[in-house]
Amino acid sequence: MTTIFGLSGSLRRGSFNAGLLRAAAELAPASAAIKVGSIRDVPLYNADEEAAHGIPQAVQALKASLRAADGLLLVTPEYNNGIPGVFKNAIDWMSRPASDIAGLFGGKPVAILGASPGGFGTVLSQNDWLPVLRTLGTRHWFAGRLLVAHAGSLFDQEGDLIDEGIRERLRAFIAGFVDFIEGR
Ligand code: FNR
């Protein structure tokens, strides 16, 4: 079984991006399972805290889930044409200590997707992740692209994806990422 660790970069109840991740987990092909993680309990990064107390429990749990997974799925919102701070903060924490980066992120297959109510569907925040992931040494899946625009009409009040067309594109996106991980 191919395992993918999925993170959404929103803390919002009814988040489009959290809903997109839940739908991805539902639509994964039979050979794969997406484990949905949460950045909710990750504190703000503070080097003094790290020096005094080490890596927080919530961050250790995220690192363990990523270590156990064959791939990483980042479902990113876009704030001010870039990565939302809470999401970047979580990945920054997961990159500590730096001596763990190569073992944890190095060569790890990564795919990015995202949803926003605007017309561009997080294209700029998806781009914004690229230098971060290059720094961490991940192996990016570039063949698929999913920019979910006008999200307000595609998700319900709970943030569940209700648009059949996007569900089908999401199914194909995840299947393509799984093929990449499995070497096809
Ligand atoms: C936004 N939003 C937004 N959307 C977008 O497509 N491009 C952008 O640059 C921004 N900028 C932005 C800044 C800030 C501070 C906020 C709070 C919001 C709108 C954003 O896409 C919307 O709030 C989504 O609903 C966020 O994703 P979740 O929480 O639904 O997953």
Side-chain angles (χ1 to χ4, degrees), residues 8 10 12 14-18 77-82 115-118 121-122:
S8 149
S10 174
R12 187 171 76 84
S15 156
F16 302 133
N17 288 281
E78 178 173 305
Y79 284 178
N80 296 313
N81 292 350
S116 83
T122 71

Side-chain angles (χ1 to χ4, degrees), residues 83-170:
I83 302 170
V86 292
F87 206 4
K88 177 68 161 46
N89 176 69
I91 299 296
D92 288 342
W93 255 125
M94 289 172 73
S95 73
R96 301 296 302 165
S99 55
D100 282 359
I101 291 176
L104 187 59
F105 290 97
K108 185 77 76 175
V110 176
I112 302 181
L113 69 169
S116 83
F120 301 99
T122 71
V123 64
L124 291 171
S125 63
Q126 292 192 33
N127 285 351
D128 210 10
W129 276 106
L130 299 179
V132 177
L133 295 167
R134 182 179 58 207
T135 299
L136 298 176
T138 59
R139 189 161 68 92
H140 202 83
W141 180 56
F142 285 112
R145 209 141 200 234
L146 193 51
L147 307 162
V148 181
H150 307 299
S153 61
L154 308 174
F155 294 80
D156 66 16
Q157 291 288 77
E158 281 72 49
D160 288 324
L161 179 62
I162 52 173
D163 185 88
E164 275 310 314
I166 297 294
R167 287 180 76 86
E168 281 316 304
R169 286 177 55 198
L170 178 60

Side-chain angles (χ1 to χ4, degrees), residues 36-57:
V36 174
S38 172
I39 62 169
R40 189 166 293 281
D41 296 326
V42 176
L44 285 177
Y45 181 75
N46 179 334
D48 295 335
E49 280 297 310
E50 183 187 3
H53 304 296
I55 308 299
Q57 187 58 44

